[in-house]
């Protein structure tokens, strides 16, 4: 069955938007989630209103309910509210109902945004003489969903840590402190520094005594 209804409203900015069913979003089963759209033809009444609203630079708005794109969650109660977006009604007329609708989903598969643009997108003020061009929608529907990032290799990292700890347990010498490893180098260096410091002090004292004697 349909995933959700695609609704549309044609109105002047001061009016209250009255939505009518434009079509249905259909979930395509497969390895990757994809959505297609099945649309109704624009009624004669809506064609007339679209041209009238376009003439006074009104708006054309669409909305979709906030539903999940995951098949197993279709039975769940949908989130309250709708996602809406709009274009100028004149651009819908001048593009002959050619538009691009983009659905945005989050990592959980729920719809979080919708956007619409027309091709061409500008309003040039040209009249559409043939009303047949305003009957059938020429829509491109696309779905934008976040790409899953690569999962960090946590298990491999933990395994390496365990291997390193096992090596340390097997070789207790590796757990020795810095001093325990290098005492044979540290002790002679300390003794040498102590001896050289003592010689400096005695030499300085002798020099001081000689200068004092010379002063007399």
């Amino acid at each position: 069955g349909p995933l959700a209804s695609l609704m549309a409203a044609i109105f002047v900015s001061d009016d209250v938007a009255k939505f009518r069913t434009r079509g249905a979003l259909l979930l395509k089963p497969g390895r990757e989630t994809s959505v297609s759209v099945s649309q109704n033809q624009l009624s004669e009444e809506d064609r007339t209103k679209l041209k009238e609203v376009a003439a006074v630079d009104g708006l054309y708005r669409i909305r979709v309910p906030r539903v999940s794109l995951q098949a197993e969650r279709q039975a769940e109660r949908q989130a309250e509210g709708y996602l809406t977006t709009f274009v100028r009604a004149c651009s819908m007329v001048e593009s002959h109902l050619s538009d691009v609708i983009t659905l945005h989903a989050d990592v959980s598969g729920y719809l979080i945004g919708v956007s619409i643009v027309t091709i061409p997108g500008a309003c040039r003020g040209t009249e559409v003489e043939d009303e047949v061009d305003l009957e059938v929608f020429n829509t491109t529907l696309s779905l934008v969903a976040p790409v899953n990032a690569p999962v960090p290799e946590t298990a491999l990292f933990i395994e390496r840590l365990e291997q390193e700890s096992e090596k340390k347990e097997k070789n207790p010498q590796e757990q020795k402190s810095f001093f325990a490893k290098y005492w044979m180098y540290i002790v002679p260096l300390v003794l040498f520094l102590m001896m050289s410091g003592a010689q400096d002090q005695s030499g300085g004292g002798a020099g001081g005594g000689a200068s004092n004697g010379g002063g007399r």
Side-chain angles (χ1 to χ4, degrees):
L3 170 67
S5 294
L6 173 65
M7 311 289 287
I10 308 162
F11 63 104
V12 183
S13 56
D14 296 335
D15 295 347
V16 177
K18 295 179 181 178
F19 286 91
R20 299 187 184 184
T21 302
R22 168 172 163 173
L25 301 178
L26 305 172
L27 191 63
K28 285 184 176 180
R31 290 179 62 186
E32 294 184 2
T33 302
S34 61
V35 181
S36 62
V37 61
S38 171
Q39 300 185 95
N40 306 324
Q41 287 192 351
L42 207 61
S43 68
E44 186 177 349
E45 180 184 352
D46 284 342
R47 287 201 303 271
T48 303
K49 186 172 184 181
L50 180 60
K51 296 185 76 172
E52 289 174 353
V53 171
V56 293
D57 201 17
L59 301 176
Y60 177 88
R61 177 172 292 186
I62 62 170
R63 77 179 188 187
V64 293
R66 298 167 58 194
V67 295
S68 172
L69 299 177
Q70 297 183 5
E72 60 270 19
R73 292 184 176 174
Q74 296 307 307
E76 296 180 11
R77 185 175 66 87
Q78 73 181 43
E80 294 181 0
Y82 292 87
L83 304 167
T84 66
T85 184
F86 65 88
V87 290
R88 295 166 69 187
C90 56
S91 68
M92 287 298 293
V93 171
E94 294 188 24
S95 69
H96 296 195
L97 304 184
S98 294
D99 57 3
V100 178
I101 297 174
T102 306
L103 301 173
H104 300 265
D106 63 10
V107 289
S108 301
Y110 283 94
L111 292 182
I112 56 171
V114 60
S115 62
I116 182 174
V117 293
T118 58
I119 303 173
C123 294
R124 298 180 300 276
T126 57
E127 288 291 330
V128 178
E129 297 177 0
D130 189 2
E131 288 194 0
V132 176
D133 292 329
L134 293 180
E135 284 185 3
V136 182
F137 288 98
N138 177 22
T139 301
T140 301
L141 182 72
S142 61
L143 173 63
V144 177
V147 178
N148 291 329
V151 179
E153 297 179 353
T154 310
L156 183 61
F157 178 70
I158 293 173
E159 186 180 347
R160 286 178 181 173
L161 287 179
E162 290 175 348
Q163 289 175 355
E164 288 181 7
S165 78
E166 285 178 5
K167 285 181 181 178
K168 287 183 179 179
E169 288 175 2
K170 290 179 181 178
N171 302 323
Q173 291 180 355
E174 291 187 8
Q175 295 181 354
K176 290 181 179 179
S177 66
F178 179 81
F179 184 81
K181 284 183 178 180
Y182 302 106
W183 69 269
M184 62 187 70
Y185 303 105
I186 296 172
V187 171
L189 180 63
V190 171
L191 290 173
F192 175 77
L193 291 173
M194 288 173 65
M195 291 174 66
S196 64
Q199 287 178 358
D200 287 345
Q201 286 181 1
S202 63
S211 63
N212 287 339
R216 289 176 190 172

